[in-house]
Amino acid sequence: MGKVGEELTEQETAIYDRQIRVWGVDAQRRLSKSHIFVSGLKGTVIEFCKNIVLAGVGSLTLNDDRLVTEELLSANFLVPSDENVTSGKSLAELCCESLKDFNPMVTVSVEKGVLANFHVEFFQKFDAVVISCCSLLTKKSVNAKCRKLPRRVAFYSVECRDSCGEIFVDLQSYSKKKNEETIECQLQYPSFEEAIAVPWRSLPKRMSKLYFAMRVLERFEVLEKQNPQDTSGDDLPNVLKLRKELCEAQCINESQIPVPLLQRLLAARVEFPSVCAIIGGVLGQVIKAISGKGDPLKNFFLFDAMDGKGIIEDISG
C-alpha cells in the first residue's frame, strides 16, 4: 500500500474536503498514495476508473491494447466518437487521455502488453489489481501472481455480460478495524481458483443461479479455446450439453442453470450503460480495501437486472 505516513498536501485537502468529512483524513491519505492497475476496459471498468480517479487515488495504470470498435463504444463514455482522434490509438491510450481531465491530481498512465504475460514482479508496485475481459486461465494466473508477492495486493475480477455482472474479490488476509488501534476481526479470502473449486452441492440451496451459469460458460470457453467475447447464441447446444455433464458431476439439478439465462449470457454483445454503472459502482469497493474504511465485499457479487437483485455470496470452502 502507499506511504501512509505522508501527509496530504494543502491542494489535496482542499479538493477532497467533502470525502475527508465522510471517511476521514487517514483514509484519504491512504487512497491518495495508492496505485491501481486495471486491465480490460469495457463499460463496467470504465465506470470504476472514473469513480476512483474522482476519489483521488495516487495513480491508475491502464492496460488494453485493443483498437476501438463500435461494440466497445456502447458503454464507454471516455472514448471520443471522432475517428480522426481514435485512429491508430489503443483503447487504453484513449481512455488515459480522457481520465486525466477528470482529476489532474491523479497520475494516469498506460502499460502496453498482454496481461497473461506480465511477470509476478510487475504487480509488486500496485495496491490493487482489477481485471476484466479475460479467460478463466488468465484470472487464475494473475490472482496467483498477486498472492506470491511479499505484501498484500488486492485482486478483483469483474465480468459484465448482457444485463448481468459478477465481481470476485481476493484480499487474502484483511483486518476489519473499529479504529486505528483495535482490530475487530480478521477476514481470510480464498483465491479465485480455490473459490470456484468449492463443490456446488455444498453451496447454499438458494445460491445465485448466475454463479453457476458463469462457471459453465468459463468452462465452455476453456474447452473451446474461446475468448469471453467470442461466444454466441449458436453455442447454446454445446453449452447445454456441458451444463448437463457438470450438473451430474456436481449433483445439482439442471434447473439451477436456466436456459434463458444462458441464452442471454451467450448472445451478449452490447453493454447496458445502466448495468455497467451499477457493477462499476459496487467495484468501487476497492476504495474500502485501500482506505481501511467500511466492510469489504467477501467474496462474490452477482447482479441480474432482470430481477433487479444484487447478491453477495461468500464462497470460501
Side-chain angles (χ1 to χ4, degrees):
M1 193 169 288
K3 298 177 182 178
V4 178
E6 294 182 5
E7 296 298 326
L8 292 174
T9 65
E10 185 176 335
Q11 186 179 9
E12 287 174 324
T13 303
I15 290 177
Y16 305 128
D17 177 66
R18 291 185 179 181
Q19 295 170 193
I20 292 172
R21 293 172 187 269
V22 174
W23 54 50
V25 67
D26 287 338
Q28 185 63 47
R29 185 169 62 234
R30 292 189 185 94
L31 193 62
S32 297
K33 307 305 175 186
S34 65
H35 306 287
I36 315 298
F37 173 79
V38 172
S39 180
L41 300 177
K42 293 190 73 175
T44 301
V45 173
I46 292 302
E47 288 282 350
F48 165 73
C49 289
K50 175 205 69 176
N51 293 339
I52 63 169
V53 165
L54 291 174
V57 295
S59 73
L60 173 63
T61 302
L62 306 176
N63 168 245
D64 197 323
D65 294 341
R66 292 177 296 174
L67 298 178
V68 174
T69 64
E70 188 173 341
E71 289 179 357
L72 291 174
L73 285 174
S74 63
N76 191 329
F77 52 82
L78 294 179
V79 177
S81 56
D82 187 347
E83 291 184 3
N84 294 324
V85 177
T86 61
S87 179
K89 293 184 179 180
S90 71
L91 200 55
E93 289 170 328
L94 292 166
C95 291
C96 178
E97 293 174 5
S98 297
L99 284 168
K100 286 178 179 178
D101 294 332
F102 278 76
N103 188 348
M105 298 286 291
V106 176
T107 301
V108 186
S109 62
V110 172
E111 184 71 38
K112 294 184 177 181
V114 179
L115 175 61
N117 294 342
F118 293 144
H119 296 297
V120 174
E121 294 75 17
F122 169 78
F123 298 102
Q124 171 73 35
K125 55 193 171 187
F126 301 107
D127 299 293
V129 170
V130 180
I131 65 173
S132 182
C133 312
C134 59
S135 69
L136 172 62
L137 297 179
T138 299
K139 287 181 189 177
K140 290 180 179 180
S141 173
V142 174
N143 190 189
K145 289 173 183 176
C146 291
R147 282 182 156 256
K148 289 179 180 178
L149 296 168
R151 68 185 185 91
R152 179 172 67 86
V153 174
F155 171 83
Y156 296 77
S157 71
V158 56
E159 296 298 334
C160 195
R161 303 187 188 211
D162 192 72
S163 56
C164 300
E166 176 187 83
I167 297 172
F168 169 77
V169 182
D170 177 15
L171 302 183
Q172 300 179 35
S173 181
Y174 182 85
S175 299
K176 290 171 58 178
K177 298 182 179 180
K178 291 182 178 178
N179 52 54
E180 290 301 317
E181 291 80 29
T182 307
I183 295 180
E184 182 180 340
C185 69
Q186 195 86 3
L187 298 178
Q188 299 297 328
Y189 286 72
S191 68
F192 183 71
E193 184 168 11
E194 291 168 338
I196 64 172
V198 174
W200 292 358
R201 60 183 176 274
S202 67
L203 297 175
K205 291 183 178 180
R206 293 189 176 183
M207 186 72 189
S208 167
K209 291 178 172 59
L210 178 58
Y211 174 80
F212 296 123
M214 293 295 284
R215 305 290 77 79
V216 171
L217 291 187
E218 282 176 345
R219 183 62 182 162
F220 175 77
E221 288 161 358
V222 170
L223 293 173
E224 297 296 319
K225 297 181 180 179
Q226 290 187 1
N227 293 317
Q229 304 96 319
D230 294 342
T231 57
S232 70
D234 295 336
D235 294 314
L236 184 61
N238 290 329
V239 169
L240 291 179
K241 181 180 178 182
L242 178 61
R243 178 189 71 159
K244 178 179 175 63
E245 293 172 358
L246 291 176
C247 286
E248 289 178 352
Q250 295 281 357
C251 301
I252 70 166
N253 195 296
E254 288 182 58
S255 63
Q256 288 291 93
I257 314 174
V259 174
L261 175 57
L262 288 172
Q263 287 176 317
R264 283 196 288 131
L265 296 176
L266 281 170
R269 277 293 177 269
V270 178
E271 297 177 281
F272 293 86
S274 57
V275 176
C276 292
I278 292 170
I279 305 299
V282 175
L283 189 56
Q285 281 267 336
V286 172
I287 293 175
K288 290 186 177 182
I290 292 172
S291 67
K293 289 291 183 179
D295 294 338
L297 191 156
K298 185 174 188 289
N299 54 342
F300 280 89
F301 175 80
L302 300 127
F303 176 80
D304 188 344
M306 293 297 287
D307 57 22
K309 292 181 180 179
I311 301 172
I312 295 175
E313 300 281 12
D314 185 354
I315 305 175
S316 302

